[in-house]
Amino acid sequence: MNTFLPADILMPRVDSMGKWAVIACDQYSSQPEYWEEVREKVQNAPSALHLILPEVELGSGREKEEIEKIHKTMNRYLTNQMFRSYPHALIYVERTLQNGKIRKGIVGRIDLEEYSYTPGKEAKIRATEKTVMERIPPRMKIRYNASVELPHVILLCDDQKKKLIEPITRKKKSFTKLYDFQLMKGGGHVAGWLIQGEDTDAFVRRTEEYEQQMMEKYKEFGETPMVYAVGDGNHSLATAKACYERLKQAHPEEDFSEHPARYALVELENLHDEAQEFEPIHRIITSVDTEELMEQLQETSCREGGFPISWYSGKKRGKIYLDLKKNQLPVDKLQTFLDEYLAENTGEMDYIHGDGVLKKLARQEKAIGFLLPAVEKDQLFPSVMTDGTLPRKTFSMGHACEKRYYIEGRRIR
């Protein structure tokens, strides 16, 4: 059976899609004013906002009350037929970003039996970055008793020949458009088209061919190489997996082959889409003995002829040459060293976007900054399969306002 499949997709019947769609719950977690403004805009109108718990509100003391309210609202929306169901369907999505580029995707479901967030474990779908286990239990409280899921997960395929999504793009004028509107709070524009019938079947056949080709392409990495990577929303997907495993343990006699909890709704996007831009995230270390740090870095992690990385410290600058193993990313080697060094020595690490910002911050006393290269797209899959997961803050997939908004849903009970 394929890993990525059509789903029985729920679409809201609402007067304002602009009020319905809200950004992923894990965004703007340090900016409560963002979510206050969203609540002010939405108020009591039907909205995905009433079906999620923004992470900025975790630890507020009102979590239990808010989660109960979410579950009641889900059930009320279902009872009041707030959703229209499209069986065995896919949704083709076009998201216009701030830079004018259009990011294309397909909403469907994945089989959680084929997904793992455990580093080093072979699975067709894998997390790209390490899962913070402490973030899963609060989310499980929401999902385990929820009747509906709303996805903000972005799944990446390694489709260099562009045979999966792009044929849908070329045929979009023949599909029924389900929505077309401006997203709130500077989120850009989004439009979605319904895919059913023969077009759905054709897409399923293409994913089957793609998965087989990936198994062959990456066979050196084991019997079950990765064919899809979680580009965004891994903690949501890990929560779905944890809830599914808990359900199986609670009902060992039950057949879960077609149980809705076995699956999760995601948006599939092509790693090689021109709108997918990987921006590097640099490292700055402050309040540190820079000479001692550089001495240990040279001794433990560098070699002559290695991969060059520029560094800046005060008025000084130079290059180090990292000793990388096959398929290892420079950020992985550097982050491993810095984590070990700072565990034993004084110093604070931060993650910086922008070359100029890094160089400016590195001018301060007792500071050193490392300018990292952007991750090459063809490095992503081999690197994850080699190292298990990538270090935190390896790369950025767009700005916060460009993350996925909640629009489509699916029944999970």
Side-chain angles (χ1 to χ4, degrees), residues 186-243:
H189 187 271
V190 69
W193 290 259
L194 176 65
I195 307 170
Q196 282 184 311
E198 174 54 37
D199 291 299
T200 295
D201 296 337
F203 185 83
V204 169
R205 288 193 294 271
R206 292 200 300 275
T207 59
E208 187 175 306
E209 292 170 4
Y210 161 78
E211 291 183 20
Q212 291 173 349
Q213 290 166 0
M214 289 290 286
M215 298 285 279
E216 178 63 26
K217 178 180 179 179
Y218 290 129
K219 61 183 179 183
E220 66 178 281
F221 294 99
E223 292 183 9
T224 309
M226 182 173 74
V227 298
Y228 299 107
V230 182
D232 211 359
N234 180 64
H235 288 88
S236 277
L237 204 54
T239 300
K241 175 81 169 186
C243 286

Side-chain angles (χ1 to χ4, degrees), residues 138-149:
R139 293 176 177 225
M140 286 184 71
K141 292 176 183 177
I142 301 171
R143 185 179 178 100
Y144 194 74
N145 291 314
S147 51
V148 176
E149 69 167 350

Side-chain angles (χ1 to χ4, degrees), residues 103-106 154-167 210 267-278 377 381 397:
R103 196 176 71 204
K104 300 175 288 292
I106 301 283
I154 294 179
L155 201 67
L156 297 174
C157 59
D158 184 14
D159 183 21
Q160 286 184 305
K161 296 182 178 179
K162 299 183 177 179
K163 291 185 175 182
L164 281 182
I165 299 172
E166 285 71 11
Y210 161 78
E267 181 177 333
L268 177 67
E269 298 181 3
N270 188 1
L271 173 66
H272 301 282
D273 187 328
E274 290 78 6
Q276 290 288 1
E277 297 182 355
F278 285 5
K377 291 183 177 182
F381 277 56
M397 281 180 56

Side-chain angles (χ1 to χ4, degrees), residues 23 26 81 137 163 275 316 333 359 368:
I23 205 161
D26 57 351
Q81 297 185 327
K163 291 185 175 182
K316 298 179 182 178
K333 188 75 173 185
K359 293 173 185 178
I368 184 166

